[in-house]
Amino acid sequence: MNARGWQMGRKALWAMILLLSPMMALAARPQVMACPDDPSPLLRGAHCATVEVPLRHAEADGEAITLFVRRIPADTAVAHRGEVWLLSGGPGEAGASLYPSIPTYQKAFPGYDLVIPDHRGTGRSTRICPAEEAPQSPEGTGLAGSEWSSCIGSMYANLPRTSAFSITEAAHDLGVLMAGAHERGQVLLYGVSYGTQLALRALQVNELAVDGLILDGLVPPEATDIWDLSRRTALVDDVGRQSLDAASLSRYRTLLTVKDAAWQKDVPGGDLRRFFAALLSFPALRERMPQIIAGLGDGDTTALTATVGDWHAALAALGQSGDNQPALPLVMLVSASENNARPALTQAMVDEEARDALFVSPIPGLLVGGTVPRYPRDAWFGKSPQRLPRTLVVHGTLDPNTGYASARQHAAILARAGSVQFHTVERGAHLLPLVAPHCFSTSVQAFVVGGTAPQRCVEPVSE
């Protein structure tokens, strides 16, 4: 078979794969499609498809939605072993948020196809507000100021549809998409951040044949009243303080007492506490904070200005632009419904809790009031799978999004249901394939071949 014929054969095989399961055949007719014109060389050779599934899986004859899936075949120079399903974070992030880390995933999972779905409500899958989040709308898949009221209004006007964009319905989507996967080799399931919550819910509501589970940036136990999103400022403040030495902390406190300093105009949003909290997600930029603090103390904004530019560049490289902007309606809906332990949170409470913080998150403020509707938590909330496949948790000690202490606690709970290994990345942040690729790939490689991942790792400093 020539190269062109082989490619056509692979596409035909992909179409057949999507049709293997009777469950999928009943749910919808999967459609192979040309992959969107993403110029990244990382996506060359990828296969794409859309899959129709029920809006509510208990109502197979009701409204349907469409899910977008991208498959990146393994290097043919390596023996094919199976596939790994990669679940992005958020809620609200498209699968494209994982694309910048494809080389690290390929190194960590040699011989495995990478399968990356867009969760319902995100990316190229059906959105909560189809008109306002359409690519051709004023802000594309983002929301322009004029679109917010109509989007939120439609969410309230059709509560049954809105509430179907829940974690549990998204977990059932995975049951449909992954049906028959084990017939093609070993199956691994990877989730990062919200993706870990979705993976664990999927293992509860489906009979998934999974050979290994990798949880990167494990979320807190769902029933927590200590580490939920409404308390994110407490987490980033703790991580931020750990990131600085005593002398820098002292100088930083002094800086924050200065009113109307000339350098404040150079800080994004004019709030140094929020900007420094944002830097915590990028270890290379986080380590510049002492230099920025020292410079600002002397009236020198050189380090600050350079870091602001590099921060914008780092954000732009995350794969969340164009049609893959974060789906804010879904972010707000799921966060308010399932990840906020204090629905009665007020702005006064948020302000009081941030008053003495040196690092401040904007997330608690977004949870105040009833901007979007909430759906009721279902019977799966707060529970864990009764049985787990071999599981590896990888987590950084300075993760500002999913705390290290809460991850340790959650991992201990999960260990009651199966074998759980825990790999610690010293001073690691969030999304380890991106910020600590060496530690991530070496630990996952050891786990995937049936071995034991090292307990701890320090990411080498890039030259």
Side-chain angles (χ1 to χ4, degrees), residues 56 154-164 373-375:
R56 291 186 175 277
S154 69
M155 292 173 70
Y156 276 102
N158 193 345
L159 289 174
R161 181 181 185 277
T162 300
S163 63
R374 294 197 301 268
Y375 58 79

Coordinates of all heavy atoms in Angstrom, one line a residue, residues 56 154-164 373-375:
R56 N -29.2 14.7 27.1 CA -29.3 13.9 28.3 C -29.3 12.4 28.0 O -30.1 11.9 27.2 CB -30.7 14.3 29.0 CG -30.7 15.7 29.6 CD -32.0 15.9 30.4 NE -32.0 17.2 31.0 CZ -31.4 17.5 32.1 NH1 -30.8 16.5 32.8 NH2 -31.4 18.7 32.6
S154 N -30.7 33.2 28.0 CA -31.1 31.9 27.5 C -30.8 30.8 28.4 O -31.6 29.8 28.4 CB -30.3 31.7 26.1 OG -29.0 31.5 26.4
M155 N -29.8 30.9 29.2 CA -29.5 29.8 30.2 C -30.6 29.7 31.2 O -31.1 28.6 31.6 CB -28.2 30.1 30.9 CG -27.0 30.0 30.0 SD -25.4 30.5 30.9 CE -25.2 29.2 32.0
Y156 N -31.2 30.9 31.7 CA -32.3 30.8 32.6 C -33.6 30.4 31.9 O -34.5 29.8 32.5 CB -32.5 32.2 33.2 CG -31.6 32.5 34.4 CD1 -30.5 33.2 34.3 CD2 -31.9 31.9 35.7 CE1 -29.7 33.5 35.5 CE2 -31.1 32.1 36.8 CZ -30.0 32.9 36.7 OH -29.2 33.1 37.8
A157 N -33.7 30.8 30.6 CA -35.0 30.6 29.9 C -35.2 29.1 29.6 O -36.3 28.6 29.5 CB -35.0 31.3 28.6
N158 N -34.1 28.3 29.5 CA -34.2 26.9 29.2 C -33.3 26.1 30.2 O -32.3 25.6 29.9 CB -33.7 26.6 27.8 CG -34.1 25.2 27.3 OD1 -34.4 24.3 28.1 ND2 -34.0 25.0 26.0
L159 N -33.8 26.1 31.5 CA -33.0 25.5 32.5 C -32.8 24.0 32.3 O -31.7 23.5 32.6 CB -33.7 25.7 33.9 CG -33.7 27.1 34.4 CD1 -34.5 27.3 35.7 CD2 -32.2 27.5 34.7
P160 N -33.8 23.2 31.7 CA -33.5 21.8 31.5 C -32.3 21.6 30.6 O -31.4 20.7 30.8 CB -34.8 21.3 30.9 CG -35.8 22.2 31.4 CD -35.2 23.5 31.5
R161 N -32.2 22.4 29.5 CA -31.0 22.3 28.6 C -29.7 22.7 29.3 O -28.7 22.1 29.2 CB -31.2 23.1 27.4 CG -30.1 23.0 26.4 CD -30.3 23.8 25.1 NE -29.2 23.6 24.1 CZ -28.0 24.2 24.2 NH1 -27.8 25.1 25.1 NH2 -27.1 23.9 23.3
T162 N -29.8 23.8 30.0 CA -28.6 24.4 30.7 C -28.1 23.4 31.7 O -26.9 23.1 31.8 CB -28.9 25.7 31.4 OG1 -29.4 26.6 30.5 CG2 -27.7 26.2 32.1
S163 N -28.9 22.7 32.5 CA -28.5 21.8 33.5 C -27.9 20.5 32.9 O -27.3 19.8 33.7 CB -29.6 21.5 34.5 OG -30.7 20.8 33.8
A164 N -28.1 20.3 31.6 CA -27.5 19.1 31.0 C -26.1 19.3 30.7 O -25.4 18.3 30.4 CB -28.3 18.8 29.7
P373 N -27.5 30.4 36.4 CA -28.3 29.4 37.2 C -27.4 28.3 37.7 O -26.3 28.1 37.2 CB -29.3 28.9 36.2 CG -28.7 29.1 34.8 CD -27.9 30.4 35.0
R374 N -27.9 27.6 38.7 CA -27.1 26.4 39.2 C -28.0 25.2 39.0 O -29.3 25.3 39.1 CB -26.8 26.6 40.7 CG -25.8 27.7 41.0 CD -25.2 27.5 42.4 NE -26.3 27.5 43.4 CZ -26.6 28.5 44.1 NH1 -26.1 29.7 43.8 NH2 -27.6 28.5 45.0
Y375 N -27.4 24.1 38.7 CA -28.2 22.8 38.6 C -28.0 22.1 39.9 O -26.9 22.2 40.6 CB -27.8 22.0 37.4 CG -26.3 21.6 37.3 CD1 -25.8 20.6 38.0 CD2 -25.5 22.3 36.4 CE1 -24.5 20.2 37.9 CE2 -24.1 21.9 36.3 CZ -23.6 20.9 37.1 OH -22.3 20.5 37.0

